[in-house]
Amino acid sequence: MADISVQIETPSGTPIVVGSNQPLLLIGGPCALESEELARTVAGTMQEICDRLGISYVFKASFDKANRTSLESYRGPGLKEGLATLAAIREELQVPVISDVHDITQVDAAAEVLDILQIPAFLCRQTDLLTAAAKTGKVVNVKKGQFVSPGDMQNAVNKIRTIGGTKIMLVERGASFGYNNLVVDMRAFPIMRSFGCPVIFDATHSVQLPGGAGGSSAGQREFIGPLARGAVAAGIDGLFMEIHPNPNEALCDGPNSIPLDKVEELLTQLVRVRNAVS
């Protein structure tokens, strides 16, 4: 594979490099911010686990989930409160943070706090949002829409590069082939990596059953492990995981979240797989 890498600035001043011949990256945390205490628990625990395993770590949690299935679904604390929580976690634990931006009006405020700006899958074709995120100079993490092919993501990359953006990561999170179901095509990893961008596998959203619970999404977390192991063997640069101390009580995406006390076992396996194929 080509030599591909992206550098993520961190609060500690020591950059994280993601890509060829670099440590595996984990972007992990609860789907949406629920409380500062829960966020601190997950971020602190995951930071310790990743340090032990030699994995680079970025804490993730959304300040707003604007694409929930139902109007009654929990969205998060919102821009101002959510960014304040993420800033506190970043400063206290010296861990880089990432969150979704859904609208160009959120980008500048988010860029003041976040180390990585994430473009949600449903918005991967939104030109103004992609270019606004790129203009901040931050790393832009673009999730592949469930409705586009891996090859189509070249267009998203080109939009960012046209205005001078160079720090791009792409995320595979499954494709829609039927009602309330997603399918992961392992060919997506080398295809998207051929665009010169590190590729991340969203191991938890890929087992989501969108709208499968009627007013919310269902999920099959028992398949997180097999898909993650396959993706690491296929040559990805990092993983994205929704992690919660008690997924059955999570306010967002609990059915496809991995329990906090189960993560280290899986990550240990994934490091072994990566070492075996590298």
Side-chain angles (χ1 to χ4, degrees), residues 237-257:
D237 302 289
L239 289 148
F240 181 106
M241 290 186 183
E242 296 197 314
I243 302 165
H244 196 283
N246 189 347
N248 292 332
E249 295 182 3
L251 300 180
C252 177
D253 279 4
N256 56 267
S257 295

Side-chain angles (χ1 to χ4, degrees), residues 2 10 84 90 109 118 125 176 220 231 264 275-276:
T10 71
R90 183 180 189 273
Q118 182 161 283
R125 294 182 60 171
S176 296
Q220 298 174 313
E264 184 166 9
N275 290 340

Side-chain angles (χ1 to χ4, degrees), residues 68-218:
R68 296 302 307 278
T69 302
S70 169
L71 189 62
E72 288 73 36
S73 298
Y74 177 73
R75 289 180 54 164
L79 180 68
K80 185 176 180 179
E81 182 180 341
L83 287 178
T85 296
L86 289 166
I89 296 296
R90 183 180 189 273
E91 177 65 24
E92 179 181 332
L93 299 178
Q94 293 290 287
V95 61
V97 294
I98 179 175
S99 194
D100 302 300
V101 288
H102 294 85
D103 185 273
I104 58 173
T105 61
Q106 298 176 336
V107 170
D108 287 342
E112 291 181 5
V113 173
L114 306 178
D115 300 284
I116 306 172
L117 300 178
Q118 182 161 283
I119 307 299
F122 284 125
L123 301 178
C124 69
R125 294 182 60 171
Q126 296 297 102
T127 302
D128 291 345
L129 184 59
L130 289 167
T131 55
K135 287 175 183 177
T136 67
K138 298 283 185 174
V139 176
V140 183
N141 193 48
V142 188
K143 287 197 165 188
K144 180 182 77 63
Q146 304 92 319
F147 49 89
V148 299
S149 74
D152 290 334
M153 292 303 290
Q154 177 74 77
N155 296 316
V157 171
N158 290 344
K159 289 176 181 180
I160 293 172
R161 286 178 173 160
T162 296
I163 57 89
T166 59
K167 302 176 181 179
I168 310 165
M169 300 193 301
L170 298 176
V171 181
E172 167 60 29
R173 58 144 303 156
S176 296
F177 283 98
Y179 295 105
N180 308 124
N181 195 28
L182 297 171
V183 175
V184 177
D185 182 352
M186 294 286 168
R187 294 174 298 179
F189 304 129
I191 290 171
M192 292 197 294
R193 211 169 183 278
S194 73
F195 308 149
C197 304
V199 172
I200 312 299
F201 175 51
D202 186 339
T204 52
H205 278 112
S206 291
V207 300
Q208 188 182 65
L209 302 176
S216 63
S217 294

Side-chain angles (χ1 to χ4, degrees), residues 35-45 59 85 88-89 92-93:
S35 70
E36 188 168 328
E37 179 182 5
L38 186 145
R40 186 180 292 107
T41 295
V42 174
T45 302
F59 175 71
T85 296
I89 296 296
E92 179 181 332
L93 299 178

